[in-house]
Amino acid sequence: MSRSIEDPDLDKEKQLDEVEVSRNNELTPTFEYTAAEERALLRKQDLTILPLCAGIYFLCYLDRSNIGNARILNSTTKNDMQTETNSTQYQFNIALMVFLVAYAIFEVPSNILLKKLRPSRWIAFLMFSWGAITMGLGGVQNFSSMAAVRFILGASEAGLFPGLVYYLTFWYKSDERSVRVASILASATLAGAFGGAIAYGIGHMNGASGLSAWRWLFIIEGAPSCVSSLFVLFFLPDYPEEHLKGRQREIALARLKVEGSKRHHRSMTWNDAKTTLTDWRLYGHYLIYFGVSVPFSSLSLFTPSITAGLGYKDLRAQLMSVPPYAVAYVTQIVVSYSADHFNARGIHSSIFALIGAVGFIALVTLPVDAYQHRYGCLILASAGSFACIPPMLGWLSSNVYSTASVGLAIAINVSVGGGIGQIPGVWIYPKEEASEGYPTGHWTNAGMLLMVSAGAAALRVWYGYKNKKLLREANGQEVRLFRL
């Protein structure tokens, strides 16, 4: 099989695979299996891995975004987090931002440690850490302590999402990943929906045992992460070659011989890092992920505030933050399945980024008091913004082939996009613009999504051009093409 990407280590990796395979007598070059056997294996993997991964990210996102609920929870009685910590809006935004700074810094080293320490151990450690830190947020008294705890929370959560995307490359082929990433990422939209409902319920606990409701919010939502970390430690399988037995193990190894990441592959070297850092096409992926991270973060943090600006007050604003996330959840799953099925991740990302941009433009151009219409546009904007993210991540991981490189590329992508890219989202919805319908935030998100739409389309055209060139140069031989 010819190479489709000029990776100097790819042939060496393939030789190492063949040596490892023959040494352990794991499979033969002519090993065959039926489509029914492959479907049965995928079902087993899905039922074992995906519920755990989705549950982990659900709790992570719940603990990350609940500060947006705490910010306005019981604000009419001055028992909200911002008032009780004596923080100005600027200070509160700084506390939101330092989380993302830590998030960007610690993602790459975390993905390296995931491979070295085993996924189950490292993810369980991260999970227990962020759960305990979230509970600690319930005890902060001022801006300084709030900012410090948020920074530590960002460091503990940084490795989870890129780690889970990297983890999937050990188990699934490239054309199977987007929908699996979506099933995990969609749990974030589910957490956003549940977060509003939970905050609505906990809001009625205001003053219980002498604690304001926002303090109970952090305590109650942090505890499940600590407890669940034990289940992750003992029940999350690390690698298919260790977890599976008999013929299913052989099928898994045969399926992933070329496309999957491997447990036995060496950890990242400086040469791997240099190769990945100078692969300039990857920066196109980083750029579009940066763009979509702005609406992702701003919606995560400010949806309760946005719904409050649409005429819903206090606890009802929490409840009305649920439908946008619920619609986004369904949209993500459907779009990601379609993107993988048709090998069209770039086009799907481009189209739904454009839909999200239209939603934000409508939000800012409709009359401020057109609450129902603008609420519908918020649902449209949320669905478009969230739906284009899983195909982007599946697209990137599908076009990086060595185990070391894919872990680094995913971590950089989420660090640049998910970390640094989310920082602008902290600042674009100033409280004083609530009466005007938050024009700064909506225009910024619209502009970013238009850039994402154009960038994804351009990257798709470039990959199509490269594939045609590879086919011409292959002279009829089998060639590995870029995923589209």
Side-chain angles (χ1 to χ4, degrees):
M1 182 178 291
S2 302
R3 288 179 290 168
S4 65
I5 294 181
E6 294 72 23
D7 182 350
D9 288 336
L10 191 58
D11 287 336
K12 187 182 294 183
E13 292 284 359
K14 185 176 179 181
Q15 292 168 7
L16 288 172
D17 281 343
E18 290 171 350
V19 169
E20 187 77 13
V21 163
S22 61
R23 180 184 300 152
N24 295 315
N25 194 29
E26 292 172 332
L27 54 88
T28 65
T30 57
F31 183 82
E32 295 181 356
Y33 52 89
T34 66
E37 287 180 311
E38 185 175 24
R39 288 194 298 270
L41 174 64
L42 284 173
R43 280 196 301 272
K44 180 175 181 178
Q45 290 185 177
D46 288 345
L47 291 173
T48 303
I49 294 171
L50 296 184
L52 270 173
C53 291
I56 293 166
Y57 195 61
F58 174 89
L59 292 173
C60 175
Y61 194 85
L62 196 65
D63 291 346
R64 176 194 310 180
S65 60
N66 54 15
I67 194 169
N69 301 105
R71 183 176 197 169
I72 67 167
L73 193 61
N74 294 306
S75 57
T76 55
T77 59
K78 303 298 182 183
N79 294 126
D80 57 285
M81 186 179 189
Q82 183 171 332
T83 301
E84 292 196 349
T85 55
N86 297 310
S87 303
T88 65
Q89 179 177 323
Y90 177 79
Q91 289 176 322
F92 201 92
N93 285 353
I94 289 292
L96 299 179
M97 187 183 74
V98 295
F99 171 94
L100 298 171
V101 172
Y103 199 81
I105 292 171
F106 290 99
E107 285 185 332
V108 172
S110 181
N111 252 21
I112 296 171
L113 288 170
L114 179 138
K115 178 76 165 32
K116 286 183 175 293
L117 301 179
R118 306 179 72 87
S120 59
R121 295 173 186 172
W122 183 241
I123 292 173
F125 169 75
L126 293 179
M127 197 172 188
F128 183 87
S129 299
W130 83 61
I133 295 164
T134 298
M135 295 176 71
L137 267 174
V140 299
Q141 301 295 330
N142 50 48
F143 159 71
S144 299
S145 59
M146 176 171 59
V149 176
R150 284 286 294 180
F151 182 86
I152 300 170
L153 182 64
S156 65
E157 290 195 7
L160 180 69
F161 187 59
L164 290 177
V165 176
Y166 183 27
Y167 173 70
L168 292 181
T169 67
F170 290 96
W171 293 83
Y172 294 100
K173 295 194 295 185
S174 58
D175 61 354
E176 298 164 350
R177 293 175 194 159
S178 290
V179 70
R180 271 84 184 179
V181 171
S183 70
I184 295 172
L185 188 63
S187 66
T189 60
L190 201 61
F194 273 94
I198 292 170
Y200 175 79
I202 294 177
H204 293 89
M205 294 177 60
N206 196 34
S209 299
L211 297 178
S212 298
W214 68 266
R215 297 186 187 277
W216 281 115
L217 182 67
F218 289 122
I219 294 168
I220 291 173
E221 292 189 349
S225 295
C226 294
V227 175
S228 300
S229 65
L230 296 175
F231 290 93
V232 172
L233 179 63
F234 292 108
F235 294 108
L236 182 70
D238 291 309
Y239 307 103
E241 55 265 46
E242 295 178 352
H243 177 70
L244 299 171
K245 305 296 181 184
R247 184 168 176 81
Q248 284 195 327
R249 179 176 183 269
E250 294 178 343
I251 295 171
L253 291 168
R255 277 171 23 89
L256 300 171
K257 182 180 178 182
V258 176
E259 295 190 5
S261 299
K262 311 296 191 299
R263 176 190 62 79
H264 64 265
H265 280 176
R266 53 176 169 68
S267 298
M268 186 180 65
T269 65
W270 285 112
N271 188 54
D272 292 320
K274 180 181 178 182
T275 301
T276 305
L277 291 170
T278 55
D279 191 346
W280 305 116
R281 70 188 172 84
L282 296 178
Y283 287 84
H285 289 277
Y286 305 155
L287 178 63
I288 60 176
Y289 198 72
F290 176 94
V292 79
S293 293
V294 177
F296 177 81
S297 67
S298 60
L299 288 171
S300 304
L301 296 170
F302 294 104
T303 295
S305 299
I306 295 169
T307 55
L310 291 174
Y312 303 104
K313 301 301 180 186
D314 207 1
L315 295 182
R316 185 163 174 78
Q318 306 283 353
L319 197 59
M320 294 305 293
S321 67
V322 174
Y325 283 109
V327 174
Y329 176 84
V330 176
T331 307
Q332 275 186 319
I333 298 295
V334 173
V335 169
S336 299
Y337 174 80
S338 178
D340 271 349
H341 181 75
F342 293 104
N343 187 30
R345 299 160 192 85
I347 293 301
H348 281 74
S349 294
S350 180
I351 290 173
F352 280 87
L354 182 61
I355 290 172
V358 169
F360 280 114
I361 291 171
L363 264 170
V364 78
T365 53
L366 285 169
V368 175
D369 59 354
Y371 294 132
Q372 290 186 343
H373 293 89
R374 293 178 68 232
Y375 186 72
C377 293
L378 175 63
I379 293 175
L380 182 68
S382 301
S385 300
F386 282 94
C388 58
I389 296 175
M392 286 184 190
L393 294 166
W395 200 14
L396 172 68
S397 69
S398 299
N399 286 319
V400 183
Y401 296 138
S402 76
T403 299
S405 295
V406 72
L408 178 59
I410 291 169
I412 294 173
N413 184 64
V414 181
S415 179
V416 172
I420 299 172
Q422 291 189 51
I423 291 176
V426 172
W427 300 98
I428 60 177
Y429 282 97
K431 194 173 183 179
E432 58 268 19
E433 288 190 0
S435 60
E436 305 171 39
Y438 294 109
T440 300
H442 297 329
W443 277 124
T444 302
N445 284 336
M448 284 293 181
L449 287 170
L450 288 173
M451 183 270 286
V452 169
S453 182
L459 196 56
R460 162 61 181 83
V461 170
W462 187 85
Y463 276 140
Y465 164 76
K466 292 293 289 183
N467 281 348
K468 290 179 180 179
K469 183 179 178 182
L470 287 165
L471 288 170
R472 286 197 305 269
E473 294 173 351
N475 294 321
Q477 295 182 353
E478 188 178 4
V479 60
R480 186 173 186 177
L481 300 174
F482 287 104
R483 297 290 182 174
L484 304 178

